Amino acid sequence: MHSRIVRRTIAAAAVAGALTACSLDLQNPNQPTEQQVTTTVDGVIALATGLQSRFAQSYGNFAYMAGLVTDEFASTPAALISISDAEQGAVAPGTGIADNVFNSVYRTVRTADDVLAGSDALEAQFEPGTRSGLRALAFALKAEALGEALQSYQKIPIDTSSP
């Protein structure tokens, strides 16, 4: 009986050791790296689709901040305390209402820059009309995002090419 328990314990330890020895450093296919996205035609097109979503988020943040400042928006009774407090002019540090605009605007600008860089690097692989459309979208949304930043802040960085 005792030797059976010892053998089972040793077998369980061996199985546990074998399971922990495998590499769990796997790449998430739903979260490709920047290198993977900007070096393929499909990746750049997908990035341009994501750019539109990024711009929509930045525009939502911009409209929300502007609405709070001008009292055009009101919070619902079940709103977060920070939103209700913002209506009263008491915004707690770290709420991020103004930070959200800045961060989302520059995420949009960075994504637009990546679309432009990818369309340049893969110029020979794109159909001319597709490349032209991607570049027009990237330039337009980058300009719109920088316009939001200009309306929100006194000074902003325009040259976004440096890291």
Side-chain angles (χ1 to χ4, degrees):
M1 177 78 170
H2 182 269
S3 65
R4 188 181 296 167
I5 294 173
V6 171
R7 279 188 246 148
R8 285 185 181 171
T9 305
I10 291 172
V15 168
L19 289 176
T20 59
C22 65
S23 173
L24 297 177
D25 189 22
L26 304 174
Q27 183 180 348
N28 182 353
N30 296 319
Q31 190 177 10
T33 64
E34 182 179 348
Q35 177 72 18
Q36 291 171 322
V37 171
T38 57
T39 57
T40 65
V41 170
D42 289 339
V44 174
I45 291 171
L47 188 60
T49 303
L51 170 61
Q52 295 172 67
S53 175
R54 288 250 167 125
F55 175 74
Q57 180 65 41
S58 74
Y59 192 78
N61 289 337
F62 169 71
Y64 178 71
M65 182 181 75
L68 281 178
V69 170
T70 60
D71 290 331
E72 293 173 5
F73 287 158
S75 62
T76 61
L80 297 173
I81 292 173
S82 62
I83 297 172
S84 299
D85 289 348
E87 262 188 350
Q88 307 303 318
V91 179
T95 301
I97 292 173
D99 290 348
N100 287 345
V101 173
F102 188 86
N103 293 336
S104 62
V105 160
Y106 280 98
R107 275 194 299 271
T108 300
V109 169
R110 171 67 193 267
T111 304
D113 286 342
D114 288 344
V115 169
L116 292 169
S119 69
D120 281 342
L122 302 170
E123 181 176 359
Q125 297 177 36
F126 277 110
E127 293 292 325
T130 303
R131 181 174 178 270
S132 173
L134 289 172
R135 293 182 61 77
L137 176 70
F139 278 124
L141 295 185
K142 180 178 179 177
E144 291 264 353
L146 289 172
E148 291 172 9
L150 284 169
Q151 293 177 58
S152 302
Y153 303 102
Q154 184 178 12
K155 294 180 181 179
I156 64 165
I158 296 290
D159 181 12
T160 58
S161 58
S162 59

